[in-house]
Amino acid sequence: MTIVAIWCRHIGDNVIGAGSGLPWRIPSDTRRFRNLTEGQIKVMGRRTYEGMPQKVLMGRRVIVLDVDGACEVFDKENHIVVDDVNKLKDYAEDLYISGGASVYALFLSTPKIMPDIVVDCVYNGEITADTENLINIDASVAVLEKKYFALPQKFELDNVVTTVWLKKGDFVEQSVVKKILNYLETEGK
């Protein structure tokens, strides 16, 4: 199993959300997320799950983390609820961590499930949402900078610079890294 975290954060303040939505509208970022996670199992918290349009997740495999285990999924065939992140440590398939901030922090602070790869998209544009309900991932970025190393390639599209980070000291499945890099190299072309 390879665990991949993927996020888009705002430069300088590490904001990833505003309330239950995104603080910007970048169609290429949405497309990048969709294409990188296509056919993969996405892991997200209940609030992120409930904030995503149902059409985006229908037919896609999703694990919803909800400590109460009470989240109602709308696609019972493809979506499941897990109440303890430790249940995922021996999962056989690759997992793509898709937010929110508390889920990123949980995975990045738990050694047995720490992501092998982080796809770090950094937006250098305006936040268009209400600035009172902003959600940041400062703690996750601090772990990223300490326990991961950045590959030298940088990919820029629509004011978003994407860097792929690998966990220090561990073997990372090269086929997954190659798939991510291949997509980023051809994105927007």
Side-chain angles (χ1 to χ4, degrees):
M1 165 184 63
T2 299
I3 299 177
V4 179
I6 180 169
W7 61 53
C8 187
R9 61 185 169 102
H10 189 252
I11 194 166
D13 56 16
N14 300 320
V15 165
I16 63 163
S20 64
L22 295 174
W24 47 71
R25 178 161 160 50
I26 313 167
S28 62
D29 177 56
T30 304
R31 198 169 36 258
R32 176 184 310 110
F33 173 81
R34 185 181 66 242
N35 289 332
L36 286 173
T37 63
E38 186 70 39
Q40 305 299 328
I41 299 172
K42 283 146 288 302
V43 179
M44 60 188 67
R46 179 190 50 79
R47 284 181 289 183
T48 299
Y49 178 78
E50 291 172 348
M52 287 189 120
Q54 288 187 8
K55 68 178 185 173
V56 172
L57 297 175
M58 285 303 290
R60 301 184 82 186
R61 297 182 303 162
V62 177
I63 297 172
V64 182
L65 288 175
D66 182 24
V67 293
D68 299 330
C71 179
E72 287 292 324
V73 295
F74 51 82
D75 182 347
K76 295 187 184 328
E77 186 175 319
N78 294 297
H79 303 175
I80 63 168
V81 177
V82 173
D83 61 0
D84 182 357
V85 73
N86 289 307
K87 292 179 180 176
L88 301 177
K89 69 181 178 184
D90 296 319
Y91 218 77
E93 298 178 69
D94 296 344
L95 300 174
Y96 280 65
I97 312 311
S98 307
S102 62
V103 172
Y104 291 130
L106 182 62
F107 273 85
L108 283 157
S109 66
T110 308
K112 297 273 188 211
I113 57 168
M114 186 175 271
D116 304 290
I117 303 167
V118 176
V119 179
D120 179 35
C121 306
V122 180
Y123 175 54
N124 187 18
E126 295 293 318
I127 290 181
T128 57
D130 176 13
T131 57
E132 289 186 27
N133 297 312
L134 298 178
I135 301 162
N136 73 54
I137 56 168
D138 289 339
S140 296
V141 172
V143 173
L144 176 74
E145 293 171 346
K146 182 177 180 182
K147 297 193 176 198
Y148 291 77
F149 68 91
L151 295 180
Q153 303 95 319
K154 304 263 188 245
F155 306 93
E156 186 168 358
L157 181 63
D158 297 335
N159 254 355
V160 177
V161 176
T162 302
T163 306
V164 176
W165 296 70
L166 305 179
K167 188 167 43 169
K168 293 178 183 175
D170 279 355
F171 172 79
V172 176
E173 179 58 50
Q174 293 302 297
S175 64
V176 177
V177 176
K178 285 179 185 176
K179 177 185 160 229
I180 291 168
L181 291 175
N182 285 341
Y183 174 77
L184 293 172
E185 286 170 355
T186 60
E187 179 182 44
K189 294 185 170 112

